[in-house]
Amino acid sequence: MRAATTAEIFGAPTRSASARADIAVLGGGIIGCLTAREVARRRPDASVLLIDRDLVGGGASLRSAGLHTPRGATPAVREMARFSQRYYTELVRGRPDLPIRPVAMRVVGTVADEPRLRSDYLPEADLTAAEDLPDGVRPPAGSIAWSVQGAQYADVTAVTRAVTADLRTEIEVREAVRVEAVSEDADGVGLRLGTGEELTAGRVVLAPGPWLGAPAWRSLVAPLAARVKKIVALHVGGRPDPADAAVIFEREDAFLLPLPERGHWLFSYTCPEWDVDPDTPSAGLTGRHLDDAREILRRHAPGMAVDRLSGRVFCDAYSGTGEPLVRALGNGRIVFAGAANGSGYRLAPAIAARAADLLESGGS
């Protein structure tokens, strides 16, 4: 005798009128969570659903350096950086317990870099010649340094989870729930979940971080031509002083960030590994990563280029323009928000606001 299936016992999941949300945000990283917050603030009467394949604040947000620099390589990114800086200032004013901390900053470059730096950094950054660098940082001959105002860094996961905790009385949060299919129809956007449930959302914000190739939305995001790049940061040196400055090495596109609460410095450099599966960095650091990082450290902070290094390896999504992608997909009911080129935390508030704008305008 054949055993009854689960569907026969409990009934097959169906998409019903009760399984409906006005807006669903797919992805619970910093971008997705701030988007859900922005939507809930603008539309307090709407039913908002936030879904993540893991815990909110995981993925790239969990491993992010969380460094905010008041700069942008294009006018659009500079405006986004300005918006985000004001947003985080207001957020901390209302929640002073959030782990968002101001940090002194120095930028190391050459005389030839100065015109571009003054163009890229916001006027309020007040670039000023500086000679005081953290102990152990000794850039090569010919280098000069500038001080920067307005920098800060955050525990991105803690901020994301605190924001989400405040939201849970206003929206529905679903964690460890995968979205297996996304489809548009006349009624809205159909979502099939890994739990077997199906639901319909009036509109959807897709904020997948580096999981661009997930089967549920791979074909939707393909026209954006975004790519996934590996990000490597090392944990180096002794315990920094809380007054130590972060140091940007302009020519190398690398930086040192003091993390006194963790007892080490973080050194991030540009890893040239593209089109990476976001589930593979769990393999960890390689000898090549250490060699590439040490090469830069020996030029700028030789005392930190020690034999035993640890760190963090993850991925993020990058656009082809250097600017984040906030675009309507399909028939306009789905909005993609992300591909922030390693600046997800820094630009998340501006990305969230733009995504909410597109939802309100119907994708136009």
Side-chain angles (χ1 to χ4, degrees):
M1 182 177 177
R2 180 179 67 84
T5 66
T6 302
E8 289 170 339
I9 297 172
F10 296 103
T14 59
R15 192 188 307 169
S16 65
S18 61
R20 185 177 183 93
D22 293 320
I23 299 162
V25 180
L26 311 185
I30 186 67
I31 292 174
C33 290
L34 290 190
T35 299
R37 181 178 189 263
E38 185 69 16
V39 170
R41 290 177 65 184
R42 295 190 189 193
R43 293 189 55 187
D45 58 329
S47 57
V48 181
L49 172 63
L50 176 65
I51 305 177
D52 193 80
R53 69 200 297 272
D54 195 356
L55 298 178
V56 295
S61 293
L62 177 63
R63 296 164 179 83
S64 170
L67 179 61
H68 171 84
T69 57
R71 68 179 295 178
T74 70
V77 176
R78 283 193 290 278
E79 187 54 41
M80 295 179 87
R82 179 179 287 110
F83 180 97
S84 293
Q85 186 156 330
R86 292 171 179 167
Y87 182 102
Y88 284 128
T89 298
E90 289 299 316
L91 189 64
V92 172
R93 185 172 290 127
R95 283 288 305 272
D97 59 313
L98 288 176
I100 298 176
R101 306 171 181 91
V103 64
M105 178 173 284
R106 303 291 180 265
V107 180
V108 173
T110 68
V111 171
D113 295 322
E114 185 167 1
R116 177 173 50 80
L117 291 174
R118 293 198 176 279
S119 173
D120 286 355
Y121 278 86
L122 303 179
E124 48 266 45
D126 190 25
L127 258 68
T128 305
E131 296 182 357
D132 55 329
L133 293 170
D135 290 343
V137 178
R138 296 190 297 275
S143 298
I144 56 177
W146 297 266
S147 66
V148 174
Q149 304 301 313
Q152 48 104 328
Y153 74 101
D155 180 333
V156 181
T157 292
V159 171
T160 302
R161 291 177 178 170
V163 167
T164 306
D166 290 344
L167 281 175
R168 286 181 189 267
T169 59
E170 305 172 41
I171 71 172
E172 181 181 358
V173 180
R174 301 286 302 275
E175 295 173 290
V177 174
R178 289 178 182 259
V179 177
E180 296 190 339
V182 177
S183 60
E184 281 188 283
D185 57 32
D187 295 327
V189 182
L191 304 175
R192 188 176 76 244
L193 309 182
T195 57
E197 300 164 90
E198 295 189 10
L199 60 89
T200 297
R203 301 202 181 279
V204 165
V205 177
L206 181 57
W211 281 274
L212 302 176
W217 49 72
R218 181 189 299 132
S219 61
L220 278 170
V221 304
L224 298 175
R227 299 173 67 187
V228 178
K229 191 175 82 67
K230 185 174 286 188
I231 296 178
V232 178
L234 301 186
H235 301 165
V236 299
R239 190 183 193 98
D241 187 277
D244 278 332
V247 185
I248 308 292
F249 304 115
E250 187 64 24
R251 287 293 172 105
E252 288 84 359
D253 192 18
F255 64 82
L256 274 168
L257 174 66
L259 297 177
E261 70 282 1
R262 286 183 56 96
H264 64 79
W265 290 81
L266 182 143
F267 176 65
S268 178
Y269 76 98
T270 301
C271 176
E273 298 179 40
W274 287 91
D275 303 318
V276 181
D277 180 346
D279 290 317
T280 60
S282 58
L285 295 165
T286 67
R288 175 64 183 273
H289 296 149
L290 300 185
D291 290 343
D292 290 347
R294 285 193 184 104
E295 183 180 348
I296 301 172
L297 285 171
R298 289 190 185 105
R299 290 199 297 272
H300 291 280
M304 295 185 180
V306 295
D307 290 336
R308 296 180 180 87
L309 298 174
S310 63
R312 58 188 74 176
V313 182
F314 60 110
C315 293
D316 208 353
Y318 283 65
S319 71
T321 64
E323 298 177 357
L325 296 175
V326 188
R327 302 279 190 277
L329 305 176
N331 295 324
R333 293 178 182 271
I334 302 172
V335 172
F336 177 88
N341 309 294
S343 296
Y345 168 73
R346 186 166 72 95
L347 303 178
I351 294 170
R354 176 58 178 152
D357 289 344
L358 281 178
L359 290 178
E360 291 179 345
S361 66
S364 60

